[in-house]
Amino acid sequence: MDPFTERTPRVVSAVKLLRGAERKKAGRFLAEGANSVTAALATGRVEELFFTDEAAARYGDLIAGATAAGVRVSPITERAARSLSDTVTPPGLVAVCALLDVPLGEALDGSPRLLAVPVSVSEPGNAGTVIRVADAVGADAAILAGDSVDPHNGKCVRSSAGSVFHLPIARERDVSLVLEQITAAGVQILATAADGEVDLDDADELLARPTAWLFGNEAHGLDPAIAARADHRVRIPIHGRAESLNLATAAAICLYASARVQHRQDRPTT
């Protein structure tokens, strides 16, 4: 079978998925690279897998596994791979996947204990990193609230290193609805705030409870009106001279702190 070129209709259709409007219309998105494709295959979301000769040499087992699973596999030229990628050095391995976000209610099913809630996060790399951290600490879901980036954005998917496929991800523009439904699910809301009344180092009793962490926009932080609606505002102590922490770092610290307390609570006592 000759490799598909950038003019092959299936490649042309897939290239359109680099645009958010087309992803929404088609109900599909692109995941590239071994981490993302492996995770996508494991969750049965891959509809077609494109690969270059070089990728076939490097990821032969992965491609064989996709074939065995009944996924359509299609060789492509290097130029076609570049057209399917928004990176400088395309990996030559691109999967067309079904969209993965779920309704807010589904993300809150099953008595969640730990939720990551980025609010109006516009930088896809940050959103992907928060999702990756949430996955790493065993959070139950990530909820992108407000005017947030599309989790199917290529940079977001890559930054998550496959984690977008591992935990439920919901999107809801109405922040008030998000807060109301989290509270109705029996989950307390904690907001990060430089002037928070609770110090993270002293918050273990709070952190033992089911918790949703609100994280604000990269440039402006969390809207004070939204922070005020949290059950508690928590400050991360900074012992050095750094003025502040970026979004992804703050999320990692807070989510890990919650997971540490909750998992310690789960351990059987001897």
Side-chain angles (χ1 to χ4, degrees), residues 113 203-209 256-266:
R113 295 179 65 194
D204 281 14
E205 187 176 340
L206 273 182
L207 301 183
R209 306 171 192 167
Y256 176 79
S258 281
R260 174 183 59 82
V261 174
Q262 291 182 356
H263 292 164
R264 185 176 63 200
Q265 194 179 45
D266 292 340

Side-chain angles (χ1 to χ4, degrees), residues 32-228:
E32 63 175 332
N35 283 343
S36 295
V37 171
T38 299
L41 286 168
T43 54
R45 290 193 172 273
V46 180
E47 298 181 2
E48 183 165 12
L49 181 61
F50 296 108
F51 60 91
T52 62
D53 285 346
E54 184 178 341
R58 293 184 64 187
Y59 308 115
D61 290 347
L62 190 156
I63 295 166
T67 304
V71 173
R72 175 189 279 174
V73 295
S74 305
I76 56 173
T77 64
E78 293 289 345
R79 182 176 286 187
R82 288 194 294 272
S83 73
L84 285 165
S85 178
D86 56 3
T87 64
V88 176
T89 54
L93 189 70
V94 185
V96 177
C97 305
L99 295 183
L100 48 75
D101 53 331
V102 302
L104 177 60
E106 185 175 328
L108 294 173
D109 278 349
S111 302
R113 295 179 65 194
L114 185 57
L115 302 167
V117 188
V119 181
S120 298
V121 173
S122 58
E123 212 293 307
N126 278 336
T129 301
V130 172
I131 290 167
R132 184 177 183 179
V133 170
D135 180 25
V137 303
D140 297 287
I143 300 169
L144 303 182
D147 189 18
S148 287
V149 69
D150 180 359
H152 306 97
N153 171 287
K155 186 175 182 181
C156 182
V157 175
R158 287 192 302 277
S159 298
S160 82
S163 288
V164 290
F165 297 100
H166 293 161
L167 77 169
I169 299 171
R171 284 190 288 173
E172 175 54 60
R173 295 182 70 92
D174 187 338
V175 179
S176 289
L177 179 63
V178 172
L179 301 181
E180 290 165 7
Q181 293 207 16
I182 288 173
T183 299
V187 178
Q188 71 174 346
I189 299 172
L190 302 183
T192 53
D195 59 349
E197 70 272 14
V198 179
D199 189 302
L200 185 63
D201 285 349
D202 303 322
D204 281 14
E205 187 176 340
L206 273 182
L207 301 183
R209 306 171 192 167
T211 298
W213 277 103
L214 304 184
F215 305 111
N217 174 275
E218 300 89 342
H220 310 295
L222 198 58
D223 184 316
I226 294 172

